[in-house]
Amino acid sequence: MTEQQTVRLAAVGDTHIRKTSQGALKAVLAPVNGAADILLLCGDLTDYGLPEEAQVLAKELSAVDIPMVGVLGNHDYESGQQTEVCRILTDAGVKILDGESVEIAGVGFAGAKGFAGGFGRATLGGWGERAIKSFVQEALDETLKFESALARLRTRRRVALLHYSPIAATVQGEPPEIYPWLGTSRLEEPLNRYPVDVVFHGHAHSGSPEGRTQSGVLVFNVALPLLKSRYPERPIKLYELAAEPQQMDASIGQVPV
Ligand SMILES: [Fe+2]
Ligand SMILES: [Fe+2]
């Protein structure tokens, strides 16, 4: 695949695989091999963050024969065994991004889990009790990880992966009381400095499928429960990254160089 070709992405998050979930992703993943070039997994891949759950997921993913890139979600941290979960998924062929970037088929991917904290003027500030400060620090640390991953991208076509949402638009549909736990505008700031073609995230199971950052970057919420309720016939997001514009030699007109 060259940089001049369209790259087809498939994306889904919040699969919440349990020990008893064998076969649960069969229908979800069915179109992937034929319809996409790269599969993106947007966190909460397991339900309790247990290695046994990751093993079940690894088996489900063995049906996928295209490259896989993902981030972990808060559920993958629940049992404190995220390192083992990450290792199992890595062995299964998923490139897990935790503040890192990777290039596949001429497209750069930057990813991090992200964190909560609220949006816009309601974003929680690090002031007052120590517990509030450490909560906000976690959001700042994840934002910094995300930013350094974005800053390392060298490709012209760029994709960002998160678990938490960087914008309020894609959590709309959830109860407003829980917006602050679904993501934070802090994650949007690096996207304004290091633009990408598209962002995928999960976590907001009852949010909205699509929104844009302040700078106009497309953001898709690909949480599986949301995709199942909106698109029950094909609950996976397919998105085509257009081919890079071919450079033209101005002296001759239409000849690509
Ligand atoms: Fe989830
Ligand atoms: Fe989540």
Side-chain angles (χ1 to χ4, degrees):
M1 191 173 299
T2 72
E3 293 192 348
Q4 277 74 43
Q5 286 180 309
T6 296
V7 174
R8 303 165 304 163
L9 306 174
V12 65
D14 301 85
T15 48
H16 288 269
I17 293 296
R18 295 182 174 187
K19 293 180 202 171
T20 54
S21 295
Q22 287 86 356
L25 294 184
K26 208 170 173 200
V28 175
L29 296 176
V32 164
N33 289 334
D37 302 307
I38 302 167
L39 173 63
L40 310 179
L41 298 166
C42 291
D44 282 1
L45 308 177
T46 62
D47 205 26
Y48 287 86
L50 295 169
E52 298 91 320
E53 295 175 334
Q55 297 285 10
V56 173
L57 177 58
K59 209 158 195 181
E60 298 290 296
L61 293 174
S62 66
V64 176
D65 58 21
I66 57 174
M68 296 179 278
V69 183
V71 294
L72 297 184
N74 54 315
H75 278 249
D76 303 309
Y77 278 69
E78 167 60 17
S79 299
Q81 298 186 69
Q82 60 274 11
T83 305
E84 181 64 2
V85 166
C86 183
R87 188 194 64 75
I88 293 165
L89 295 178
T90 301
D91 287 351
V94 185
K95 175 66 184 168
I96 298 287
L97 302 176
D98 179 22
E100 289 121 10
S101 57
V102 67
E103 186 179 328
I104 302 171
V107 178
F109 296 86
K113 174 176 62 63
F115 198 60
F119 299 96
R121 293 182 63 187
T123 302
L124 183 64
W127 197 91
E129 299 94 323
R130 191 184 301 168
I132 295 288
K133 286 175 179 160
S134 61
F135 183 93
V136 171
Q137 190 58 50
E138 184 70 15
L140 291 171
D141 291 346
E142 283 291 321
T143 301
L144 203 60
K145 274 203 266 184
F146 185 45
E147 176 159 354
S148 56
L150 290 167
R152 281 197 291 272
L153 293 178
R154 291 290 173 265
T155 52
R156 284 184 48 190
R157 288 185 290 182
R158 302 164 179 207
V159 175
L161 274 71
L162 288 163
H163 179 59
Y164 288 83
S165 178
I167 59 170
T170 48
V171 309
Q172 272 171 28
E174 297 275 7
E177 295 87 347
I178 68 165
Y179 278 20
W181 321 124
L182 298 175
T184 177
S185 299
R186 293 185 192 279
L187 296 165
E188 184 182 4
E189 293 163 14
L191 290 165
N192 295 333
R193 278 193 289 281
Y194 299 98
V196 296
D197 294 283
V198 58
V199 182
F200 297 93
H201 74 84
H203 192 52
H205 292 198
S206 302
S208 299
E210 191 177 329
R212 283 186 188 271
T213 65
Q214 286 168 9
S215 52
V217 174
L218 257 178
V219 179
F220 292 113
N221 176 357
V222 295
L224 182 56
L226 174 65
L227 297 179
K228 275 183 171 168
S229 73
R230 297 293 185 102
Y231 318 108
E233 71 294 341
R234 199 195 61 193
I236 191 158
K237 177 69 189 174
L238 298 176
Y239 181 81
E240 286 198 358
L241 266 182
E244 290 210 60
Q246 296 194 3
Q247 292 175 10
M248 298 294 172
D249 183 338
S251 63
I252 344 181
Q254 297 301 308
V255 181
V257 291

